[in-house]
Amino acid sequence: MKQVPIGVSARHIHLSEEHIELLFGKGYQLKVLKDLSQPGQYAAEETVAVVGPKGKFEKVRILGPARGGTQLEVSRTDAFSLGLNPPVRESGNTDGTPGIQLIGPAGEVTIPQGVIIAARHIHFHTDDAAKWGIIDKQLLTVKIEGERSLIFEQVLARVSDQYSLDMHIDTDEANAAGAKTGDIALILS
Amino acid sequence: MKQVPIGVSARHIHLSEEHIELLFGKGYQLKVLKDLSQPGQYAAEETVAVVGPKGKFEKVRILGPARGGTQLEVSRTDAFSLGLNPPVRESGNTDGTPGIQLIGPAGEVTIPQGVIIAARHIHFHTDDAAKWGIIDKQLLTVKIEGERSLIFEQVLARVSDQYSLDMHIDTDEANAAGAKTGDIALILS
């Protein structure tokens, strides 16, 4: 049995160094609120407001550390609230995606692109992947059991010795499956 | 191929005659905004506000005609916003479910129970069910294809000569599957 813990991703944002400075001030450093399951990644104490054509979210959690490109990850439910129609994308692949306005305590910026619905994926440490015969970028079929039992196809495997075993789904997927962080998913094939 | 059109249910409420009168006034009759896929059912012009411990929705669509018992159907995402933890239930089965405050133009009422997350189900006309060998209350496995392809297990079959073929899922399920009303689901078994 290939059992994987589930991590549910609520809406969040990754910021570039440049955008951290525009939103929070010159030389600003994010403060760590809580470490995440993937080594080195953390939820920051800071939040930003995001403003779309139809709605806004006042407090979107920043995940650190800073990245090369700013990226807002929302559920499809969130996207409807904002009035955007972002594609389902792998993290980092933001070409041609919608932009959005970001507001911080020290300034604001409108990014021309960067809003995505994150494609569901499983992080595997190299050792876990080798043990189960799974390779990087393989597409898996994964089941979440329960009264709203769901089978997810096309779940992307991401393998690295920097990763810790975790299946990342968004709040729509978690709620549709009746699942929460810490629940267990089963890789079927 | 057993193909079924999908109908996505956004949050909505069914009201008893008594609650229509409390919220809209003595003898009030709902006005038909739009007929729904199931014969005799309609979206009313009227909405009510619903107020939970943590949040409210200003305009929740009323579906008519009046029913024996008042029932608010929300997604799990909605339930978190309201601050409630309703169970996944078949329509009409509201024993032990959370209550909520309802506010209309002529009055308000707090129902002691009636908030549910509707269990996904397929309405079959008797003829469709017979053709496919499906019986009332059978649990089916159903696939929605696409880039967020999902297989739903334990989908309840509801068979009646009053029904029209339609798979009802909520907005969490639709968004998790990347589906919208009018898309097609496949019954696998």
Side-chain angles (χ1 to χ4, degrees):
Chain A
M1 292 257 283
K2 300 171 186 170
Q3 294 186 320
V4 179
I6 295 168
V8 180
S9 299
R11 73 182 77 103
H12 64 271
I13 192 164
H14 303 278
L15 293 174
S16 66
E17 293 281 9
E18 177 199 352
H19 289 154
I20 292 172
E21 295 205 336
L22 278 171
L23 297 167
F24 291 92
K26 191 85 185 151
Y28 192 88
Q29 297 291 320
L30 295 176
K31 297 180 192 69
V32 177
L33 175 68
K34 200 177 68 152
D35 287 324
L36 300 179
S37 66
Q38 298 311 308
Q41 302 293 305
Y42 60 87
E45 289 184 9
E46 294 82 358
T47 60
V48 292
V50 304
V51 185
K54 272 186 53 185
K56 69 186 289 186
F57 295 119
E58 292 289 350
K59 292 187 173 190
V60 175
R61 182 68 52 195
I62 300 170
L63 301 193
R67 292 203 180 175
T70 289
Q71 173 175 300
L72 174 65
E73 299 182 36
V74 296
S75 70
R76 197 156 171 251
T77 298
D78 292 338
F80 285 126
S81 298
L82 292 170
L84 296 175
N85 186 21
V88 177
R89 287 283 179 86
E90 210 181 324
S91 185
N93 178 8
T94 58
D95 283 357
T97 61
I100 197 161
Q101 185 186 21
L102 312 177
I103 305 176
E108 56 187 76
V109 61
T110 297
I111 55 172
Q113 62 178 39
V115 183
I116 66 168
I117 297 170
R120 57 209 185 198
H121 57 274
I122 298 178
H123 292 274
F124 294 89
H125 186 273
T126 315
D127 295 342
D128 295 315
K131 183 177 66 184
W132 289 340
I134 287 165
I135 60 171
D136 193 40
K137 299 196 190 304
Q138 190 172 341
L139 293 175
L140 305 169
T141 299
V142 181
K143 180 171 182 173
I144 299 178
E145 295 189 313
E147 69 177 341
R148 302 192 109 187
S149 183
L150 278 187
I151 297 169
F152 295 77
E153 299 189 316
Q154 301 163 51
V155 178
L156 183 71
R158 297 175 59 185
V159 180
S160 162
D161 58 8
Q162 301 300 306
Y163 289 157
S164 161
L165 187 64
D166 211 13
M167 178 177 184
H168 286 179
I169 57 177
D170 72 14
T171 49
D172 285 337
E173 293 169 320
N175 289 333
K180 59 184 190 305
T181 292
D183 287 354
I184 297 295
L186 299 173
I187 299 174
L188 300 183
S189 62
Chain B
M1 292 256 284
K2 299 171 187 171
Q3 295 186 319
V4 179
I6 295 168
V8 180
S9 299
R11 74 182 78 102
H12 64 271
I13 192 163
H14 303 278
L15 294 174
S16 66
E17 293 281 8
E18 179 199 350
H19 289 153
I20 292 172
E21 295 205 335
L22 278 170
L23 296 167
F24 292 91
K26 191 85 185 152
Y28 192 87
Q29 298 290 320
L30 296 175
K31 297 179 191 70
V32 176
L33 175 66
K34 201 177 68 154
D35 286 324
L36 300 178
S37 66
Q38 298 311 308
Q41 303 292 305
Y42 60 88
E45 290 184 8
E46 295 81 358
T47 61
V48 292
V50 305
V51 185
K54 273 186 52 186
K56 69 185 292 186
F57 294 119
E58 292 288 350
K59 292 189 172 190
V60 174
R61 183 68 52 194
I62 300 170
L63 300 194
R67 292 202 179 176
T70 289
Q71 174 175 300
L72 174 65
E73 300 182 34
V74 296
S75 70
R76 197 157 170 250
T77 299
D78 291 338
F80 285 126
S81 299
L82 292 169
L84 296 175
N85 186 21
V88 177
R89 286 284 179 86
E90 210 180 324
S91 185
N93 176 9
T94 59
D95 282 357
T97 61
I100 197 159
Q101 186 187 19
L102 311 177
I103 305 177
E108 54 186 77
V109 60
T110 296
I111 55 172
Q113 62 178 39
V115 183
I116 66 168
I117 297 170
R120 57 209 183 197
H121 58 274
I122 299 178
H123 292 274
F124 294 90
H125 186 274
T126 315
D127 295 342
D128 295 316
K131 183 178 64 184
W132 289 339
I134 288 166
I135 59 171
D136 193 41
K137 299 198 191 303
Q138 188 173 343
L139 294 176
L140 305 169
T141 299
V142 180
K143 180 170 182 173
I144 299 178
E145 295 189 314
E147 68 178 342
R148 303 193 108 187
S149 182
L150 279 186
I151 297 169
F152 295 77
E153 298 188 317
Q154 300 163 53
V155 178
L156 183 71
R158 297 175 59 186
V159 180
S160 162
D161 58 8
Q162 300 301 305
Y163 289 158
S164 161
L165 187 65
D166 211 14
M167 178 178 184
H168 286 179
I169 57 178
D170 72 15
T171 48
D172 285 338
E173 293 168 319
N175 288 334
K180 59 185 189 308
T181 291
D183 286 354
I184 297 296
L186 299 173
I187 299 174
L188 299 183
S189 62

